[in-house]
């Protein structure tokens, strides 16, 4: 496992590198290339305090630290992204190195649009109930237009917009968008594959 | 609520979704890309499907698992577990299946490594990535487009150089025991063949060379840059006979065909989306909301601008919808008023265009009539001469600048929806820019073929002023290209940077209201498409022009990048990346097709000059092809004649039409199936049988 290898590497003195076997495993289990995984490791360890850097694989970075990353800093969905990718049992949305790799993998250019749309659905599902209902859509639009009172759409505009969205994407007309409908509508969107990428 | 949450909900609606044609094509695409999957699992209809997906592969028991672990939307620990399960399953497989799995895995690894290697070779990869991060994907697509043009021009240059220039140089200098032959043309009046390129004789001032460099005259005229150098009828490289005229013509067709195919290949993606036009309108809101946020943005200021632009876009679309409703409610009287106003404005637009074309025509005629090389060689007349030579380019640039301003002013009165306004103005600007080149060429030709005397008519062109008219056209194209480059450089240096300086250091109201300029993508794209059209037209007359174009676009990349980073603010009204890609390639395609017309006319209609060039012994440049065909064996000749005859062309045309109608009917049938399935999906919700299935 990663921890055993890292401990061995630490004793050998090359504490800052990932062992080869784990590197290969991560290449197999994610869409990232070798360079990208090493870069991710470097950035992850920089988020940790010095004394925890040796056990980077098993350490968890608190949410506040993750949000300092440039990719997430300006992202309106930063909290949802941390929530979705975090495997923390405490519910504090802290991320381990593997969660971090998962996140970068989904947002990389080589990820399939299937997996991107799946995670996009979970990010947009603000109340985690498995569907996008009116409240989710409202929160989504507010995230897009920005914080602050003057950047929100008026009530009438929001109604009109949500009505249009549901008209376009709600196939079974139950008033919510489920995963299949979401993936269907997004697969036909030409911009989705291009926009779902984080800069490395 | 009829449905139970989580896993139990998934079955029936999803099956109908799987029958939709778009889902089938997505599956096909996934199968083509996935490789190792042998079974396709249906997307389950709930978000809590981690458990369901994990159970999936195990349920299939001894069969090959569905997807590689990394394509599953679960956490890393889960993926590791699934991969171990898959590998455990492999151990139980017999025969050649394990070998197949491991070999496909190692093949994929090798392919990934190769792809990584190639991505390092990609030109400007890091620059474009950083632009994407700071300014978004819309502007990044402009720079990718620029990179595409650099590569295209480089390939065209390699093509022309290796097929035309290299053999000529080799045979002219006698390298590798080669030689060339200049066959004196038969049946031609001797006066047509006299050609003395007026190079610089004796001592000249240094600035003459500079002037020649800028206007393509003097020492440049005799170099391999222009058509006149290639006065070779056959070249012998050792014992091989190289038919240079045929090679020249075929290289021209080759680079035009190559450009066409490459552009079409690149635009196929965007075209597929835009072809079914009502689909695009059908989900424009979903597109903007679900794919609206640009995840590449890292700068908080850029993010703020993106928020504002998204808000603006959504509000504009909603307003447009309300406007459409209003338009539908228009009374007859209002409609009449608006239509008559639109007709009037179109007449004004037409008048503006005619004004531009006429001024270009007069400028070209004036420039050609008055720019003769003076004998005295003093700096004043030479500078005036240079200015005169550049007069057509200057008039074109002025027209390209003024006309769009007029169009965007006029369109406000036509009362179209905002999106249509933008598109119509853009189309008018495209037309102005590209038609200006056409008018320039037309006026050049009217000068060249103007024949008053009988001697002149015998040659077919004005042999006194233009003994080598192709070189003259090549010179005009060369001047246009150089001037275009100078203008881009000058605008960046003398307009953009001073403006930035003023805005940052001067806080008076008008300056602040002007503000920093935006990186206007349509204008910049039109600029480089205009340059590329000149290159395409000019390469026939000046085979080394693509090399100049490559260097020009290479330098422009850095100029634009520096200008963008230091002097621009991101646009408030963004153009989406997908539609911008399609728009760029569409405009480029229009430029290419517009380039076919002048080239076609000069190759097939205008008699080639008898004093220089590889087509001396032929009537027109095209005549070399029938000539070569006559040298083929009779069987092949008959086949080729058959293909060119009406007996073949008419049935071929009819068959093409039939195939086209078939595809249109197929698309219509698909649309009907989609509608039916949608209706069924709605009804299924209330189907009692399905409800009982769910609850059981």
């Amino acid at each position: 496992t990663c921890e055993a290898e890292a401990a061995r590497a630490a004793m050998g003195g090359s504490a800052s590198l990932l062992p080869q076997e784990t590197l290969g495993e991560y290449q197999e289990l994610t869409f990232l290339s070798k360079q990208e995984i090493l870069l991710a490791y470097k950035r992850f360890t920089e988020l940790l305090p010095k004394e925890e850097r040796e056990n980077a694989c098993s350490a968890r970075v608190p949410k506040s630290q993750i949000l300092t990353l440039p990719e997430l800093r300006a992202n309106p969905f930063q909290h949802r992204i941390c929530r979705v990718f975090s495997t923390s049992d405490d519910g504090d949305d802290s991320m381990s190195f593997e969660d971090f790799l998962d996140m970068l993998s989904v947002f990389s250019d080589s990820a399939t649009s299937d997996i991107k749309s799946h995670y996009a659905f979970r990010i947009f599902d603000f109340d985690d109930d498995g569907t996008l209902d009116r409240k989710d859509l409202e929160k989504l639009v507010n995230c897009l237009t920005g914080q602050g009172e003057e950047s929100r759409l008026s009530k009438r505009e929001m109604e009109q917009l949500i009505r249009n969205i549901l008209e376009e994407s709600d196939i079974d007309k139950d008033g919510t968008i489920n995963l299949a409908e979401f993936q269907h509508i997004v697969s036909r969107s030409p911009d989705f594959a291009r926009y779902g990428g984080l800069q490395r | 609520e009829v449905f139970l949450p989580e896993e139990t909900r998934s079955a029936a609606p999803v099956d109908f979704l799987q029958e939709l044609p778009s889902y089938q094509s997505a599956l096909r695409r996934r199968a083509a890309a996935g490789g190792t999957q042998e079974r396709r699992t249906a997307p389950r209809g709930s978000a809590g499907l981690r458990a369901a997906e994990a159970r999936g592969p195990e349920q299939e028991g001894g069969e090959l698992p569905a997807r590689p672990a990394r394509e599953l939307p679960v956490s890393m620990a889960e993926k590791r577990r699934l991969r171990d399960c898959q590998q455990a399953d492999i151990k139980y497989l017999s025969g050649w299946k394990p070998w197949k799995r491991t070999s496909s895995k190692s093949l994929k690894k090798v392919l990934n490594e190769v792809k990584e290697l190639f991505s390092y070779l990609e030109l400007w990869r890091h620059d474009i990535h950083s632009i994407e991060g700071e300014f978004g994907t819309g502007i990044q697509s402009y720079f990718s487009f620029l990179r595409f043009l650099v590569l295209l021009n480089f390939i065209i240059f390699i093509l022309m150089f290796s097929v035309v220039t290299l053999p000529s140089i080799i045979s002219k200098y006698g390298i590798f025991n080669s030689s060339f032959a200049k066959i004196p043309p038969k049946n031609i009046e001797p006066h047509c063949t006299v050609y003395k390129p007026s190079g610089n004789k004796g001592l000249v001032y240094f600035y003459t060379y500079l002037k020649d460099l800028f206007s393509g005259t003097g020492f440049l005229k005799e170099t391999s840059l222009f058509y006149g150098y290639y006065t070779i009828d056959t070249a012998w490289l050792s014992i091989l006979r190289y038919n240079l005229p045929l090679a020249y013509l075929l290289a021209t067709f080759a680079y035009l065909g190559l450009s066409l195919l490459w552009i079409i290949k690149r635009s196929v993606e965007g075209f597929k989306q835009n072809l079914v036009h009502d689909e695009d309108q059908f989900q424009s809101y979903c597109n903007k909301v679900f794919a609206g946020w640009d995840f590449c943005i890292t700068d908080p200021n850029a993010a703020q601008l993106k928020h504002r632009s998204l808000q603006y876009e959504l509000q504009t679309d909603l307003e447009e919808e309300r406007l459409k409703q209003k338009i539908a409610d228009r009374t007859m009287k209002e409609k009449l008023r608006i239509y008559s106003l639109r007709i009037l404005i179109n007449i004004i637009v037409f008048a503006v265009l005619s004004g531009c074309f006429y001024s270009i025509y007069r400028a070209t005629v004036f420039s050609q009539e008055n720019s003769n090389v003076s004998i005295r060689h003093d700096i004043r007349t030479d500078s005036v001469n240079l200015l005169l030579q550049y007069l057509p380019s200057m008039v074109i640039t002025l027209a390209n600048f003024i006309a769009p301003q007029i169009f965007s002013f006029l369109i406000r009165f036509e009362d179209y929806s905002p999106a249509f306004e933008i598109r119509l103005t853009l189309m008018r600007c495209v037309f102005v820019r590209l038609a200006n080149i056409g008018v320039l060429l037309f006026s050049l030709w009217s000068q060249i073929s103007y024949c008053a005397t009988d001697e002149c008519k015998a040659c077919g062109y004005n042999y006194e002023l233009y003994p080598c008219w192709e070189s003259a056209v090549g010179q005009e194209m060369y001047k246009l290209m150089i001037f275009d480059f100078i203008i881009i450089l000058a605008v960046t240096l003398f307009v953009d940077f001073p403006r930035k300086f003023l805005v940052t250091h001067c806080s008076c109201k008008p300056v602040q209201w002007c503000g920093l300029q935006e990186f206007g993508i349509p204008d910049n794209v039109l600029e480089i498409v205009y340059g590329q059209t000149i290159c395409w037209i000019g390469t026939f007359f000046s085979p080394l022009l693509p090399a100049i174009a490559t260097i020009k676009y290479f330098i422009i990349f850095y100029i634009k990048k520096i200008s963008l980073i230091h002097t621009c603010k991101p646009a408030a009204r963004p153009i989406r990346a997908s539609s911008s890609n399609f728009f760029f390639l569409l405009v480029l395609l229009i430029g290419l097709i517009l380039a076919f017309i002048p080239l076609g006319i000069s190759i097939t209609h205008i008699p080639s000059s008898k004093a220089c060039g590889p087509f001396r012994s032929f009537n027109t440049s095209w005549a070399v092809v029938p000539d070569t065909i006559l040298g083929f064996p009779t069987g092949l000749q008959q086949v080729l004649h058959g293909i060119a005859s009406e007996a073949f062309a008419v049935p071929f045309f009819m068959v093409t039409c039939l195939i086209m109608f078939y595809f249109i009917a197929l698309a219509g049938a698909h649309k009907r199936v989609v509608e039916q399935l949608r209706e069924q999906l709605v009804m299924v919700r209330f189907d009692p049988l399905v409800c009982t299935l769910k609850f059981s």
Side-chain angles (χ1 to χ4, degrees), chain B residues 41-230:
Chain B
T41 55
R44 309 290 161 80
S46 77
L49 62 75
R50 283 176 166 192
E53 283 278 358
R55 253 184 274 126
E58 292 178 37
Q59 278 168 355
E60 276 135 45
E63 301 180 27
L64 287 169
R67 289 194 259 175
R70 68 179 181 177
E71 290 187 23
L72 294 171
V74 293
S75 68
M76 186 75 81
E78 276 288 322
K79 282 193 262 191
R80 201 177 272 129
R81 203 174 58 78
L82 285 166
R83 187 210 45 189
D84 295 335
C85 280
Q86 287 177 7
Q87 284 186 344
D89 284 343
I90 290 174
K91 288 200 187 71
Y92 294 115
L93 295 171
S94 57
W96 62 295
K97 285 203 178 105
W99 175 84
K100 187 171 161 209
R101 291 226 95 215
T102 39
S103 65
S104 67
K105 250 198 210 169
S106 34
L107 184 69
K108 265 214 266 191
K109 248 193 224 167
V110 167
L111 282 175
N112 273 338
E113 303 272 325
V114 171
K115 243 203 284 188
E116 264 183 64
L117 203 67
F118 270 127
S119 72
Y120 277 123
L121 296 172
E122 211 181 314
L123 186 64
W124 293 318
R125 193 173 65 104
H126 180 68
D127 292 290
I128 294 187
H129 248 129
S130 61
I131 290 174
E132 194 178 6
E134 239 186 279
F135 293 96
T137 21
I139 290 183
Q140 175 259 355
S141 48
Y142 166 79
F143 284 93
S144 300
F145 181 63
L146 201 48
R147 174 175 62 188
F148 163 63
L149 282 182
V150 168
L151 289 171
L152 180 68
N153 280 314
F154 186 66
I155 302 281
I156 294 178
F157 164 66
I158 298 281
L159 178 70
M160 287 300 273
F161 187 76
S162 52
V163 172
V164 172
T165 313
L166 203 59
S168 313
I169 293 180
I170 289 179
S171 54
K172 278 211 174 174
Y173 287 103
I175 315 172
F176 301 134
N177 212 1
S178 58
S179 60
F180 68 99
K182 270 194 196 178
I183 308 168
K186 345 176 208 349
N187 308 331
I188 303 291
E189 309 293 324
H191 59 262
C192 296
T193 62
V194 169
Y195 177 52
K196 289 194 197 26
S198 52
N200 294 316
K201 300 197 173 45
L203 290 175
V204 289
Y205 290 108
F206 175 71
Y207 68 78
T208 324
Y209 287 111
L210 218 59
K211 175 185 74 94
D212 287 340
L213 196 66
F214 277 117
S215 58
T217 48
F219 77 96
L220 266 187
K221 199 162 181 182
E222 300 156 36
T223 61
S224 56
L225 179 60
F226 291 117
Y227 178 92
Y229 178 83
Y230 301 93

Side-chain angles (χ1 to χ4, degrees), chain A residues 26-93:
Chain A
Y26 286 147
Q27 262 188 296
E28 202 188 326
L29 294 179
T30 64
F31 290 100
L32 302 169
S33 68
K34 207 190 298 193
Q35 285 0 69
E36 290 163 357
I37 296 176
L38 286 172
L39 186 63
Y41 187 74
K42 184 160 125 359
R43 296 178 72 190
F44 189 75
T45 47
E46 280 164 10
L47 291 174
L48 289 170
K50 275 214 176 65
E51 49 290 355
E52 291 189 38
R53 280 191 193 164
E54 318 245 300
N55 306 341
C57 288
S58 51
R60 299 198 80 94
V61 171
K63 181 167 159 181
S64 49
Q65 283 289 91
I66 292 277
L67 293 182
T68 59
L69 284 172
E71 289 88 345
L72 290 184
R73 197 172 46 197
N75 197 318
F77 301 109
Q78 46 184 228
H79 300 285
R80 284 300 305 164
I81 291 175
C82 284
R83 167 63 60 94
V84 163
F85 285 101
S86 161
T87 53
S88 159
D89 306 314
D90 305 329
D92 61 353
D93 294 345

Side-chain angles (χ1 to χ4, degrees), chain B residues 432-456:
Chain B
V432 159
R433 279 193 185 245
L434 299 178
N436 282 341
I437 307 177
V439 171
L440 172 76
L441 286 168
F442 170 74
S443 17
L444 267 179
W445 278 320
S446 67
Q447 289 292 99
I448 291 170
S449 7
Y450 174 66
C451 264
T453 63
D454 280 334
E455 287 178 335
C456 169

Side-chain angles (χ1 to χ4, degrees), chain B residues 4-47:
Chain B
L4 292 179
E6 304 302 287
E7 286 94 309
T8 50
R9 188 193 322 169
S10 41
V14 176
D15 292 338
F16 281 111
L17 275 178
Q18 285 175 48
E19 289 187 48
L20 286 171
S22 58
Y23 181 72
Q24 295 294 333
S25 50
L27 277 181
R28 254 178 275 128
R29 252 182 277 137
R30 209 193 304 155
T36 54
Q37 65 188 62
E38 251 122 323
R39 265 296 276 305
R40 301 189 192 111
T41 55
R44 309 290 161 80
S46 77

Side-chain angles (χ1 to χ4, degrees), chain B residues 653-664:
Chain B
F653 178 70
M654 281 173 52
V655 166
T656 316
C657 283
L658 278 173
I659 294 177
M660 195 175 67
F661 286 136
Y662 166 71
F663 278 116
I664 294 177

Side-chain angles (χ1 to χ4, degrees), chain B residues 278-307:
Chain B
D278 47 12
E279 294 239 43
D280 195 26
Q281 282 175 346
F282 196 55
Q283 51 168 84
S284 63
Y285 288 105
C286 281
N287 204 19
K288 288 198 171 79
V289 168
F290 294 138
W293 184 256
D294 195 343
F295 280 79
C296 298
I297 293 182
T298 55
D299 180 36
N301 286 327
Q304 187 60 23
L305 278 156
K306 183 73 183 176
H307 283 304

